[in-house]
Amino acid sequence: MKTLYTRIVIVYIITVMISLVIGFFTLTLLFRESLGNDQEDMLIKQGEGIITLFEKIDDISEMKALANELLVPMFVDFAIYDAEGKLEVFGVNKRSIPEERVQQVLKGGVYREDGSDPNKPIVGLPFQKDNKRYALFVYVSDSEIKNDAYQVILLGFLSVLISGSILILIVSRFIVKPLTKMTQVTQELAKGNFDIHLNWKRKDEIGVLARNFDIMAEDLKKLEQMRRNFISDVSHEIQSPLTSIRGFSRALKEKDLPSAERLEFLQIIESESERLSRLSGHLLQLASLESDQHPFEPKSFSVDEQIRAIILKLQPEWSKKDIQFTLDLPKTYIVADKDLLHQVWQNIIYNSIKYNKDGGTIGIRLTKKARIIIVEVEDTGIGIAEEHLRNIFERFYKAEQSRSKKNGSGVGLAIVKKILELHHGNIYVRSKLGEGTKFIITLPLRKQTKR
């Protein structure tokens, strides 16, 4: 009983047996009722024929001889009572008939079996000959006819049970076989082997399950690859500043090191330390956002004022590159987490400044629709190649080698994507290499709960 195959077979066989038992008794009852009525009608017709024959023959011995020839193929016997109750039996079986039934028929009544013993139907018919009253009782000579019929029915049901059980054994094996295969595949997945596929073409529920299983295996494979890449990327991102810090720390031990170089080395160490601090902070924040434990406090505020404040805050960055801003920011209030959205605008605008050309421009446009706002940030920077666009929101992904030289951690856009998801918003990017990049951000106006 521990295996699904055994359970299916037992349940199927029990179901078939119960169905056959119910069917057998139902069919038997119907058969007995139908056959009993038919036999009584048959006995009445045969009795009428016997009466007609008896009225034409005067010799009892001749009647008996003729009756024996007729009764054998008809499987019936009959008995005749005269008015004094004298009995003449025609056939081989004598039936005991109560006296009151004989008198009932002699008085002109017709007697039919009342069903107390449906295996032995009997009818009584009155008739007269030579002004004398007689009672004719006709009954089946061999009750084994019905028994044979019941045996045929029983054998039919037994053959159905046996053949059905064999078919159930075969069909159940066919049903359970895919599940057994899935169990083996699951064990392989548990061992870390994700290069497995069922590739079934079945269109039933098991086929759908198999296809979903293949999708799950593929997703687990991608997740495992992402995990390995994540570990590799984190190790690389941490190892690079640590190597710089270690190298310049050793250089500072030189006694004859000029003070200018010493100050430069200390500045590099400080810069790399800040880079490590930013990386660890971003990773902690991303982990917090993904765990759904990060504080989420929506409130109403002016989103256009927030964007202007961030542009003003980043003035030292864009002033050095002589970047010009074109703004279209109508007064717009939104219900959202102000601190989290501050990170979104700061990250997007800062990237537009960092990867822009000297003397370039940045256009920021805010549009309010029925239930959402759309913020577009477009720059005239170095752009992103088309093959990299779909991956820029993955953690540690850097579209261009030139970008990695600008001390980016590759986590900022992943944080932006997650914050917008928490607000039921989204972000899209359009870019052409060497022409610039445009980020399109959508956010709902109404109050949101964290996803």
Side-chain angles (χ1 to χ4, degrees), residues 136-181:
L136 171 67
F137 290 89
V138 186
Y139 47 87
V140 176
S141 63
D142 189 359
S143 61
E144 294 299 323
I145 296 176
K146 279 192 174 182
N147 295 333
D148 292 341
Y150 293 147
Q151 289 178 4
V152 171
I153 295 174
L154 181 60
L155 289 175
F157 277 107
L158 287 176
S159 64
V160 171
L161 175 62
I162 295 172
S163 59
S165 299
I166 295 174
L167 289 175
I168 287 169
L169 290 172
I170 298 172
V171 172
S172 299
R173 177 68 66 180
F174 175 76
I175 294 175
V176 174
K177 185 177 179 180
L179 300 179
T180 305
K181 178 63 176 178

Side-chain angles (χ1 to χ4, degrees), residues 198-214:
L198 295 172
N199 292 325
W200 289 344
K201 304 301 182 182
R202 298 173 55 155
K203 298 185 182 298
D204 56 7
E205 289 80 0
I206 294 180
V208 173
L209 178 61
R211 285 188 288 276
N212 290 332
F213 198 92
D214 287 341

Side-chain angles (χ1 to χ4, degrees), residues 153-337:
I153 295 174
L154 181 60
L155 289 175
F157 277 107
L158 287 176
S159 64
V160 171
L161 175 62
I162 295 172
S163 59
S165 299
I166 295 174
L167 289 175
I168 287 169
L169 290 172
I170 298 172
V171 172
S172 299
R173 177 68 66 180
F174 175 76
I175 294 175
V176 174
K177 185 177 179 180
L179 300 179
T180 305
K181 178 63 176 178
M182 288 185 183
T183 301
Q184 297 172 354
V185 172
T186 303
Q187 293 171 349
E188 290 297 319
L189 287 177
K191 296 176 183 178
N193 179 18
F194 302 110
D195 293 322
I196 50 177
H197 297 282
L198 295 172
N199 292 325
W200 289 344
K201 304 301 182 182
R202 298 173 55 155
K203 298 185 182 298
D204 56 7
E205 289 80 0
I206 294 180
V208 173
L209 178 61
R211 285 188 288 276
N212 290 332
F213 198 92
D214 287 341
I215 294 173
M216 181 189 70
E218 188 65 28
D219 290 342
L220 288 174
K221 182 179 179 180
K222 292 179 180 178
L223 184 62
E224 176 64 16
Q225 187 62 41
M226 289 175 60
R227 184 186 68 83
R228 293 177 182 176
N229 292 340
F230 176 77
I231 295 174
S232 175
D233 291 337
V234 170
S235 300
H236 174 75
E237 292 292 335
I238 293 177
Q239 187 64 34
S240 179
L242 286 178
T243 301
S244 297
I245 292 172
R246 183 169 58 250
F248 288 111
S249 297
R250 290 175 181 173
L252 288 175
K253 294 179 181 179
E254 298 292 334
K255 296 180 180 180
D256 299 332
L257 187 67
S259 58
E261 291 187 12
R262 186 180 300 276
L263 180 60
E264 181 183 357
F265 291 169
L266 287 173
Q267 289 176 344
I268 293 175
I269 291 174
E270 181 181 8
S271 175
E272 293 298 300
S273 298
E274 291 176 353
R275 180 181 172 189
L276 276 176
S277 178
R278 286 195 304 270
L279 177 61
S280 62
H282 287 162
L283 290 176
L284 288 173
Q285 183 183 19
L286 189 57
S288 177
L289 291 170
E290 290 180 342
S291 67
D292 292 334
Q293 300 300 318
H294 195 85
F296 187 78
E297 301 174 354
K299 58 183 178 181
S300 179
F301 64 94
S302 176
V303 67
D304 59 290
E305 291 182 3
Q306 186 181 51
I307 294 174
R308 285 191 178 93
I310 291 172
I311 295 173
L312 185 60
K313 176 183 176 181
L314 296 175
Q315 183 177 2
E317 303 296 331
W318 52 265
S319 295
K320 288 187 298 185
K321 302 181 71 171
D322 193 24
I323 293 175
Q324 301 295 319
F325 279 85
T326 58
L327 303 179
D328 182 7
L329 300 173
K331 178 62 67 176
T332 305
Y333 285 89
I334 187 173
V335 178
D337 191 304

Side-chain angles (χ1 to χ4, degrees), residues 24-227:
F24 176 77
F25 283 107
T26 302
L27 185 59
T28 299
L29 291 174
L30 294 174
F31 174 75
R32 289 174 61 180
E33 181 178 356
S34 176
L35 184 61
N37 293 332
D38 291 343
Q39 282 189 327
E40 288 182 4
D41 293 339
M42 177 196 69
L43 292 177
I44 290 174
K45 291 181 179 180
Q46 290 180 344
E48 292 173 347
I50 292 171
I51 291 172
T52 301
L53 182 63
F54 187 75
E55 289 174 346
K56 295 179 179 180
I57 299 177
D58 295 329
D59 189 354
I60 294 296
S61 58
E62 183 181 353
M63 179 66 185
K64 285 188 176 182
L66 183 59
N68 287 333
E69 294 180 2
L70 295 174
L71 295 177
V72 172
M74 292 191 299
F75 301 101
V76 295
D77 293 336
F78 64 92
I80 297 178
Y81 291 84
D82 59 16
E84 288 75 25
K86 183 179 178 182
L87 172 65
E88 291 289 344
V89 177
F90 297 81
V92 296
N93 296 309
K94 180 180 179 181
R95 291 284 294 275
S96 176
I97 302 173
E99 178 64 24
E100 61 270 19
R101 300 302 183 194
V102 174
Q103 293 300 322
Q104 174 187 343
V105 176
L106 286 173
K107 293 177 180 179
V110 176
Y111 171 69
R112 299 171 69 106
E113 176 62 50
D114 59 4
S116 59
D117 189 0
N119 283 325
K120 298 178 180 180
I122 183 172
V123 296
L125 300 174
F127 70 95
Q128 290 185 1
K129 180 180 179 180
D130 299 332
N131 295 322
K132 293 182 179 180
R133 291 177 297 166
Y134 296 91
L136 171 67
F137 290 89
V138 186
Y139 47 87
V140 176
S141 63
D142 189 359
S143 61
E144 294 299 323
I145 296 176
K146 279 192 174 182
N147 295 333
D148 292 341
Y150 293 147
Q151 289 178 4
V152 171
I153 295 174
L154 181 60
L155 289 175
F157 277 107
L158 287 176
S159 64
V160 171
L161 175 62
I162 295 172
S163 59
S165 299
I166 295 174
L167 289 175
I168 287 169
L169 290 172
I170 298 172
V171 172
S172 299
R173 177 68 66 180
F174 175 76
I175 294 175
V176 174
K177 185 177 179 180
L179 300 179
T180 305
K181 178 63 176 178
M182 288 185 183
T183 301
Q184 297 172 354
V185 172
T186 303
Q187 293 171 349
E188 290 297 319
L189 287 177
K191 296 176 183 178
N193 179 18
F194 302 110
D195 293 322
I196 50 177
H197 297 282
L198 295 172
N199 292 325
W200 289 344
K201 304 301 182 182
R202 298 173 55 155
K203 298 185 182 298
D204 56 7
E205 289 80 0
I206 294 180
V208 173
L209 178 61
R211 285 188 288 276
N212 290 332
F213 198 92
D214 287 341
I215 294 173
M216 181 189 70
E218 188 65 28
D219 290 342
L220 288 174
K221 182 179 179 180
K222 292 179 180 178
L223 184 62
E224 176 64 16
Q225 187 62 41
M226 289 175 60
R227 184 186 68 83

Side-chain angles (χ1 to χ4, degrees), residues 324-353:
Q324 301 295 319
F325 279 85
T326 58
L327 303 179
D328 182 7
L329 300 173
K331 178 62 67 176
T332 305
Y333 285 89
I334 187 173
V335 178
D337 191 304
K338 187 175 182 180
D339 292 337
L340 289 178
L341 282 189
H342 184 278
Q343 296 182 62
V344 172
W345 313 130
Q346 179 167 293
N347 187 288
I348 297 298
I349 296 173
Y350 180 76
N351 283 344
S352 296
I353 296 171

Side-chain angles (χ1 to χ4, degrees), residues 10-30:
I10 291 177
V11 169
Y12 279 3
I13 291 178
I14 291 176
T15 303
V16 170
M17 290 180 66
I18 293 174
S19 301
L20 289 178
V21 169
I22 294 174
F24 176 77
F25 283 107
T26 302
L27 185 59
T28 299
L29 291 174
L30 294 174

